[in-house]
């Protein structure tokens, strides 16, 4: 089982996403989704799964993204299924493979059992009354401000991590060691164009020109470490198949300066992209 599986909780129960469940059972997400659709009568919402939409989905995305927990939820996802222990058990029965049963046993004995042990210990420590916790949305906001302030003050990362762990421990969330690590920001061609003010002339300078930036990137040296695959339909279209590191954006900016911000830039397809530059003297 994935030893980096990060515990997450919803409505007082430990839950697991479809993607993580597929990883644990060593199958693909489509198989999990198809099995659910084919056996919906055997699953009950609130017992075997939670379906998050609207504000609840927004709060969950905030939970897993705001402090860099190693769980990603695509910002364009309109809904999300979270599986309880009983839901994971149902999926195991449907898959009915030796590997699935082995992995469910591991989940049952570690991932889900730890949460029950914590709840029992709380009841003992609190004399049967568990204290009411503030909403995670407000905790996330406060924690983000706290972490930023501690970083600005030069507090050592290990102490920041301990602060985060103490904050999230009552929620059954385990904060990883690298939760405050600085992670390099990757951008699409559209985002680079917007940052550098490379806009399409046809739009009157309102829309960033991704093709122009793509043409520049094709002319400079870009290593594999400076790129990664982009989620499908990022930025509203499927054209940007890669994301680029900050260092690539810096070299695109240098290319523009060296070439005195040309009004036409040859794209990857060889066609000229006519551009204007916002926020610069040369228009």
């Amino acid at each position: 089982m994935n030893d980096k599986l990060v515990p997450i909780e919803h409505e007082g129960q430990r839950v697991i996403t479809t993607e993580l469940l597929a990883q644990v059972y060593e199958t693909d997400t489509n198989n999990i989704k198809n099995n659910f659709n084919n056996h919906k009568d055997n699953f009950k919402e609130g017992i075997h799964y939670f379906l998050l939409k609207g504000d609840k989905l927004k709060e969950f995305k905030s939970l897993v993204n705001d402090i860099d927990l190693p769980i990603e939820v695509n910002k364009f996802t309109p809904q999300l299924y979270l599986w309880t222990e009983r839901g994971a058990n149902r999926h195991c029965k449907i898959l009915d493979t030796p590997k699935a049963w082995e992995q469910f046993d591991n989940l049952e004995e570690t991932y889900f059992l730890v949460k029950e042990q914590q709840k029992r210990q709380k009841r003992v420590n609190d004399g049967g009354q568990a204290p009411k916790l503030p909403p995670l949305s407000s905790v996330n906001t406060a924690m983000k401000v706290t972490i930023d302030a501690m970083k600005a003050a030069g507090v050592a990362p290990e102490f920041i991590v301990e602060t985060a762990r103490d904050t999230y421990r009552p929620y059954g969330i385990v904060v990883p060691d690298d939760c405050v690590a600085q992670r390099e920001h990757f951008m699409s061609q559209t985002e680079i164009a917007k940052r550098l003010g490379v806009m399409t002339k046809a739009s009157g300078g309102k829309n960033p020109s991704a093709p122009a930036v793509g043409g520049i990137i094709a002319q400079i040296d870009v290593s594999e470490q400076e790129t990664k695959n982009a989620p499908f339909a990022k930025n509203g279209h499927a054209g940007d198949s890669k994301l680029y590191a900050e260092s690539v954006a810096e070299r695109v900016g240098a290319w523009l300066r060296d070439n005195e911000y040309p009004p036409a830039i040859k794209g990857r397809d060889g066609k000229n992209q006519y551009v204007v530059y916002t926020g610069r003297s040369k228009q």
Side-chain angles (χ1 to χ4, degrees):
M1 189 174 68
N2 185 351
D3 58 3
K4 294 184 179 180
L5 197 61
V6 177
I8 51 177
E9 185 183 345
H10 182 71
E11 294 193 6
Q13 294 191 59
R14 185 153 289 184
V15 293
I16 187 169
T17 64
T18 299
E19 288 73 16
L20 291 178
L21 188 62
Q23 288 178 29
V24 170
Y25 286 165
E26 297 189 4
T27 185
D28 58 63
T29 56
N30 286 332
N31 199 15
I32 296 291
K33 293 174 183 177
N34 291 336
N35 285 341
F36 171 63
N37 289 330
N38 292 333
H39 298 84
K40 271 191 173 180
D41 291 343
N42 294 323
F43 290 87
K44 295 186 183 298
E45 188 170 0
I47 296 176
H48 301 103
Y49 69 92
F50 295 100
L51 176 57
L52 305 189
K53 296 180 181 179
D55 290 341
K56 287 189 176 182
L57 177 58
K58 184 178 180 180
E59 181 175 341
F60 182 81
K61 287 179 180 179
S62 175
L63 163 65
V64 301
N65 293 332
D66 277 358
I67 61 166
D68 292 334
L69 289 176
I71 302 169
E72 293 185 0
V73 179
N74 190 304
K75 64 181 180 181
F76 298 110
T77 298
Q79 63 181 34
L80 183 72
Y81 284 90
L82 298 176
W83 306 101
T84 65
E85 178 179 5
R86 294 176 68 177
N89 187 13
R90 288 288 165 96
H91 278 292
C92 178
K93 290 177 179 178
I94 294 169
L95 288 168
D96 197 25
T97 64
K99 188 63 178 179
W101 283 110
E102 174 189 341
Q103 294 294 66
F104 177 73
D105 285 343
N106 290 333
L107 281 175
E108 188 178 40
E109 293 172 4
T110 56
Y111 185 79
F112 291 114
L113 181 61
V114 168
K115 175 59 187 172
E116 291 306 311
Q117 289 174 334
Q118 289 175 343
K119 288 167 70 174
R120 284 195 294 270
Q121 187 60 46
K122 272 187 176 227
R123 286 194 290 269
V124 172
N125 293 343
D126 301 326
Q129 294 283 332
K132 187 176 181 179
L133 298 172
L136 274 171
S137 57
S138 60
V139 173
N140 289 338
T141 300
M143 196 65 236
K144 195 170 184 180
V145 172
T146 300
I147 289 177
D148 288 344
M150 294 177 79
K151 284 181 179 179
V155 176
E158 57 267 27
F159 292 110
I160 301 178
V161 171
E162 283 307 313
T163 299
R165 282 179 175 153
D166 289 342
T167 300
Y168 285 96
R169 189 172 291 116
Y171 294 88
I173 298 170
V174 177
V175 176
D177 290 337
D178 63 349
C179 79
V180 296
Q182 295 291 340
R183 300 183 182 182
E184 186 165 19
H185 177 55
F186 282 75
M187 298 169 285
S188 67
Q189 293 173 181
T190 300
E191 290 169 316
I192 294 174
K194 185 175 182 180
R195 171 183 288 195
L196 298 176
V198 185
M199 317 302 279
T200 60
K201 185 175 182 179
S203 71
K206 294 181 179 179
N207 298 327
S209 179
V213 168
I216 297 172
I217 290 175
Q219 300 179 52
I220 62 179
D221 292 328
V222 177
S223 67
E224 290 185 5
Q225 289 74 27
E226 293 177 300
T227 67
K228 70 177 183 178
N229 291 330
F232 178 76
K234 183 174 176 62
N235 296 316
H237 59 85
D240 290 334
S241 59
K242 284 186 178 180
L243 299 181
Y244 299 90
E246 295 271 0
S247 54
V248 176
E250 291 172 1
R251 293 207 298 283
V252 171
W255 185 96
L256 290 170
R257 291 190 295 274
D258 292 343
N259 289 273
E260 299 183 341
Y261 300 99
I265 300 172
K266 188 172 291 187
R268 294 178 187 271
D269 59 2
K271 297 180 181 179
N272 279 334
Q273 302 296 322
Y274 295 96
V275 300
V276 293
Y277 300 92
T278 59
R280 300 183 185 279
S281 60
K282 186 175 181 65
Q283 296 294 322

